[in-house]
Amino acid sequence: MERFLEDYGLVAVFISLVTTPFGNPIPEDVSLFFAGALANNFPDSVDILDALVVGYLGVTLGDCIAWTMGQRVGLHPTGFIARLIGPNGLKRVEGFYNRWGSWAIVICRQFPGFRLPCFFFAGASGMRFSKFIAVDGSAAIITTGVFVTLGYSLADYETVEPWLTRFRHVAFLLLALVGSILIYRVFIYQSELRKQRMQVQDEE
């Protein structure tokens, strides 16, 4: 177990952070805390700077995925989001971003449970990616620094070992899930290409 954590602990942290928009049940803060805990317990293999960099990259990439998902879905009056929250809810979401702009990202970044929907709606409401990544990337420095430092300062191996074991198991499951989704998407894509070719041949 210790050998695994020394070699692959930060990889598991990165995977956990990036897969948050896909329903990963491990909170972002917990993943960052574990990154700091790894640096505390395995200083010969995991440097605190590495933990901070991996944590920051995982956080911001996960946020960008959430923004992209929202940007692709959009807030069209007859679209998925409009049907989900209703026309009044749609107007409130647009009003929220029109009123608060960049501060909406800064505020939501610091509160677990608000991040994913906030970043999703940032993309859906039309916020430019350059603006989003500039604001979110700056705010993520605070989140990453605080929780990685807490993990580094407070966590010893005996205290966190049971949770790290669970973390490893969940990371493996998430990796398998992501791989399965990618394989499925490739299969569907290839099937659609074959159908299109067949339609073209029939038309000819």
Side-chain angles (χ1 to χ4, degrees):
M1 177 62 183
E2 292 188 31
R3 186 72 256 174
F4 169 84
L5 291 173
E6 288 186 73
D7 293 340
Y8 304 107
L10 288 183
V11 175
V13 168
F14 183 79
I15 292 172
S16 177
L17 291 169
V18 171
T19 54
T20 297
F22 300 105
N24 174 9
I26 300 177
E28 177 184 288
D29 303 338
V30 174
S31 299
L32 293 172
F33 185 90
F34 281 162
L38 289 169
N40 175 298
N41 290 279
F42 308 110
D44 293 335
S45 303
V46 182
D47 186 77
I48 181 63
L49 181 59
D50 293 337
L52 287 167
V53 171
V54 169
Y56 179 80
L57 292 176
V59 163
T60 51
L61 182 55
D63 295 348
C64 290
I65 291 173
W67 180 92
T68 302
M69 293 168 61
Q71 193 268 339
R72 290 178 65 87
V73 172
L75 294 177
H76 192 275
T78 60
F80 167 75
I81 297 299
R83 293 197 301 270
L84 184 65
I85 65 177
N88 292 332
L90 191 64
K91 291 180 180 178
R92 284 195 293 269
V93 169
E94 293 176 319
F96 176 75
Y97 279 97
N98 289 335
R99 179 178 180 182
W100 295 102
S102 302
W103 284 107
I105 303 299
V106 176
I107 295 169
C108 291
R109 163 120 292 285
Q110 310 310 325
F111 293 96
F114 288 90
R115 294 165 185 156
L116 178 57
C118 179
F119 304 151
F120 179 92
F121 282 121
S125 63
M127 179 178 286
R128 297 192 313 277
F129 179 75
S130 57
K131 181 178 181 180
F132 171 78
I133 192 60
V135 176
D136 179 65
S138 300
I141 294 175
I142 301 173
T143 308
T144 303
V146 167
F147 286 99
V148 171
T149 302
L150 284 174
Y152 183 77
S153 303
L154 302 178
D156 59 81
Y157 184 77
E158 292 183 359
T159 302
V160 302
E161 192 274 337
W163 293 98
L164 290 171
T165 302
R166 297 177 190 175
F167 186 85
R168 180 188 63 168
H169 293 161
V170 172
F172 275 136
L173 290 173
L174 288 172
L175 184 59
L177 177 61
V178 171
S180 300
I181 292 173
L182 290 175
I183 293 173
Y184 175 75
R185 291 297 297 272
V186 171
F187 174 78
I188 293 298
Y189 177 71
Q190 293 296 330
S191 298
E192 291 177 350
L193 284 180
R194 284 195 295 269
K195 290 180 181 179
Q196 291 176 1
R197 293 194 190 103
M198 293 178 63
Q199 289 176 355
V200 171
Q201 291 175 357
D202 292 340
E203 291 175 358
E204 293 177 348

